[in-house]
């Protein structure tokens, strides 16, 4: 309505009635930071002990949400950092049971912004305000969510999925994502932190030393567009590559990786080639008492993907996604070794087979019925 026409009715309503009919909300803004391992930065506020928060707070009158996010980061962390992009917006109703008892709460519109990855130098400069923030920590996403109010945990996970998926901001109402169009949401994917992997080294193209047992073997399975298959465990939403334990009946680690890919994901592969291995120097990853061991990695090309079926070993029917290698490393939670491995796998596939380097893009769920063939 033009500023010089404020006394005119709006439709069939008088201006004052129209103004009273409009919803009134508070504004909130928060920022999602992770460290190099993919852990989420969470604050423990003194005014709400035990319930963690992302850095952020209220949007002041006449303040833009992005500016509020930057201001709150400065006030709560002592860091002068910009925000990159909007990851999620949550509309919280006035009657929401988690916030309905807050004095004067009229409902709220909360935006979550991407602060990116904090380097060690950034983390060392964090200074918390006295009497407001008790402590901060970097936590695996699932653990961070479990220590937040449920609505805030769901909101944080939605923002993290949106960052990985590169498909635009997530839209939520009362902490529940609107629509089920995104594969990471449909499969309830929770980016994981693979415990122990952050401290083990990736050895590209190297063969394990004589006497070093190869306990497990996994495969980067490429489609013609440079995407790879990852599996989603329905029990916890965590993502893994196809592969698993090398059994006595397997004809070596490569045969084990191909067998597991067929059993877990109904993947028919060809042109499998050795990629390298991760060294578990004291058995901490594979299991206590196992001693030093190697975990081999292979690459292969996908012929077809059959109908989803329960894994013969576990009875689990995994969800299946096609993602870029970069996104796979983010979802797998293997830290820097995982990022190096993903880059090496993509470059090797490009050099060996002419497969293009796939940019990060919206994840694609493989249909339950499978895909008889993949487009060239």
């Amino acid at each position: 309505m033009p500023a010089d026409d404020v006394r005119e009715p709006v439709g069939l309503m008088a201006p004052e009635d129209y103004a009273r009919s409009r919803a009134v909300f508070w504004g909130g803004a928060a920022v999602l930071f992770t460290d190099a391992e993919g852990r989420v930065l969470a604050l423990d506020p003194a005014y709400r002990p035990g319930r963690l928060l992302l850095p952020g707070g209220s949007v002041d009158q006449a303040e833009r949400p992005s500016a509020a996010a930057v201001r709150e980061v400065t006030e709560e962390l002592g860091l002068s950092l910009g925000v990159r992009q909007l990851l999620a917006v949550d509309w919280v109703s006035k009657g929401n049971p988690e916030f309905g008892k807050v004095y004067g709460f009229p409902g709220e519109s909360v935006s979550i912004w991407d602060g990116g990855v904090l380097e060690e130098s950034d983390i060392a400069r964090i200074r918390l305000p006295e009497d407001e923030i008790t402590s901060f920590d970097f936590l695996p996403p699932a653990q961070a969510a479990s220590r937040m109010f449920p609505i805030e945990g769901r909101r944080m996970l939605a923002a993290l999925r949106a960052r990985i998926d590169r498909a635009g901001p997530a839209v939520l109402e009362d902490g529940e994502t609107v629509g089920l169009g995104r594969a990471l949401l449909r499969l309830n994917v929770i980016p994981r932190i693979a415990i122990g992997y952050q401290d083990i080294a990736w050895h590209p193209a190297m063969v394990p030393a004589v006497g070093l047992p190869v306990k497990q073997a996994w495969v980067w399975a490429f489609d013609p567009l440079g995407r790879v298959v990852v599996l989603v465990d329905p029990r916890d939403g965590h993502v893994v590559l196809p592969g698993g334990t090398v059994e006595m009946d397997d004809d070596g680690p490569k045969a084990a990786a191909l067998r597991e890919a067929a059993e877990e994901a109904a993947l028919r592969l060809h042109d499998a080639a050795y990629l390298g291995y991760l060294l578990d120097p004291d058995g901490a990853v594979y299991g206590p008492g196992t001693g030093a061991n190697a975990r081999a990695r292979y690459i292969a090309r996908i012929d077809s993907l059959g109908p989803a079926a329960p894994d013969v070993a576990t009875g689990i029917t995994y969800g299946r996604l096609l993602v870029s290698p970069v996104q796979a490393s983010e979802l797998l939670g293997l830290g820097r070794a995982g990022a190096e491995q993903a880059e090496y796998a993509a470059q090797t596939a490009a050099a060996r087979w002419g497969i293009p380097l796939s940019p990060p893009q919206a994840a694609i769920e493989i249909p339950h019925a499978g895909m008889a063939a993949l487009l060239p």
Side-chain angles (χ1 to χ4, degrees):
M1 183 167 51
D4 59 354
D5 196 28
V6 295
R7 292 174 295 176
E8 292 297 321
V10 179
L12 300 177
M13 299 175 66
E16 58 271 21
D17 294 331
Y18 173 74
R20 282 193 294 267
S21 73
R22 296 299 299 270
V24 177
F25 292 111
W26 287 347
V31 182
L32 178 72
F33 291 108
T34 57
D35 66 5
E37 311 301 343
R39 296 174 298 183
V40 173
L41 173 61
L43 307 182
D44 190 357
Y47 54 86
R48 211 175 72 176
R51 288 292 190 177
L52 304 185
L53 284 169
L54 293 178
S58 62
V59 178
D60 294 339
Q61 292 188 23
E63 185 178 34
R64 295 181 176 181
S66 58
V70 172
R71 173 179 55 76
E72 289 286 349
V73 167
T74 302
E75 293 176 359
E76 294 185 339
L77 301 179
L79 300 178
S80 297
L81 300 173
V83 293
R84 301 184 177 193
Q85 60 181 338
L86 180 64
L87 294 177
V89 177
D90 191 8
W91 178 92
V92 185
S93 62
K94 180 177 181 180
N96 185 284
E98 293 189 49
F99 295 97
K101 296 181 180 179
V102 176
Y103 177 77
F105 182 70
E108 187 173 26
S109 179
V110 182
S111 58
I112 299 183
W113 301 81
D114 188 2
V117 177
L118 290 180
E119 300 295 334
E120 292 183 2
S121 58
D122 298 317
I123 298 170
R125 292 188 292 110
I126 291 178
R127 297 294 182 269
L128 303 178
E130 295 183 6
D131 303 324
E132 182 179 353
I133 306 298
T134 302
S135 62
F136 73 92
D137 203 354
F138 286 90
L139 299 172
Q143 183 179 344
S146 70
R147 296 179 59 186
M148 298 176 174
F149 279 124
I151 186 175
E152 293 170 341
R154 297 193 301 271
R155 186 187 299 157
M156 179 273 291
L157 291 175
L160 187 56
R161 291 187 189 110
R163 179 206 269 188
I164 294 172
D165 207 29
R166 274 82 161 181
V171 179
L172 302 94
E173 294 177 349
D174 288 313
E176 300 290 348
T177 307
V178 177
L180 294 174
R182 297 183 180 182
L184 298 187
L185 171 64
R186 287 195 302 274
L187 296 180
N188 193 32
V189 171
I190 298 178
R192 66 184 299 212
I193 302 296
I195 304 301
Y197 276 92
Q198 283 67 38
D199 300 320
I200 68 177
W202 164 240
H203 297 276
M206 296 178 62
V207 177
V210 175
L212 181 66
V214 178
K215 294 287 188 179
Q216 293 192 325
W218 308 79
V219 60
W220 292 83
F222 283 86
D223 80 346
L225 299 180
R227 301 169 299 189
V228 295
V229 173
V230 294
L231 309 181
V232 183
D233 190 327
R235 297 170 297 182
D236 55 19
H238 287 168
V239 168
V240 295
L241 287 174
T245 301
V246 180
E247 305 289 353
M248 293 184 62
D249 294 339
D250 290 320
D251 185 19
K254 181 165 74 172
L258 298 179
R259 172 185 56 77
E260 290 279 3
E263 293 175 355
E264 295 175 340
L267 272 169
R268 180 175 294 175
L269 304 174
H270 69 287
D271 286 351
Y274 181 70
L275 191 67
Y277 74 96
L278 290 165
L279 174 62
D280 182 8
D282 54 10
V285 173
Y286 186 72
T290 58
N293 64 89
R295 301 164 72 84
R297 295 293 189 270
Y298 295 85
I299 57 173
R301 302 175 72 178
I302 301 171
D303 276 334
S304 64
L305 299 107
D311 178 16
V312 296
T314 64
I316 297 168
T317 301
Y318 291 95
R320 301 174 296 178
L321 294 171
L322 282 169
V323 297
S324 73
V326 168
Q327 290 164 298
S329 71
E330 294 172 342
L331 292 168
L332 292 166
L334 301 181
R336 286 187 171 90
E340 294 169 2
Q341 185 184 147
E343 181 179 7
Y344 186 69
Q347 291 176 346
T348 303
R352 187 179 182 89
W353 302 313
I355 289 177
L357 298 174
S358 173
Q361 56 195 281
I364 296 176
E365 183 179 1
I366 297 168
H368 193 80
M371 300 168 70
L374 299 175
L375 294 175

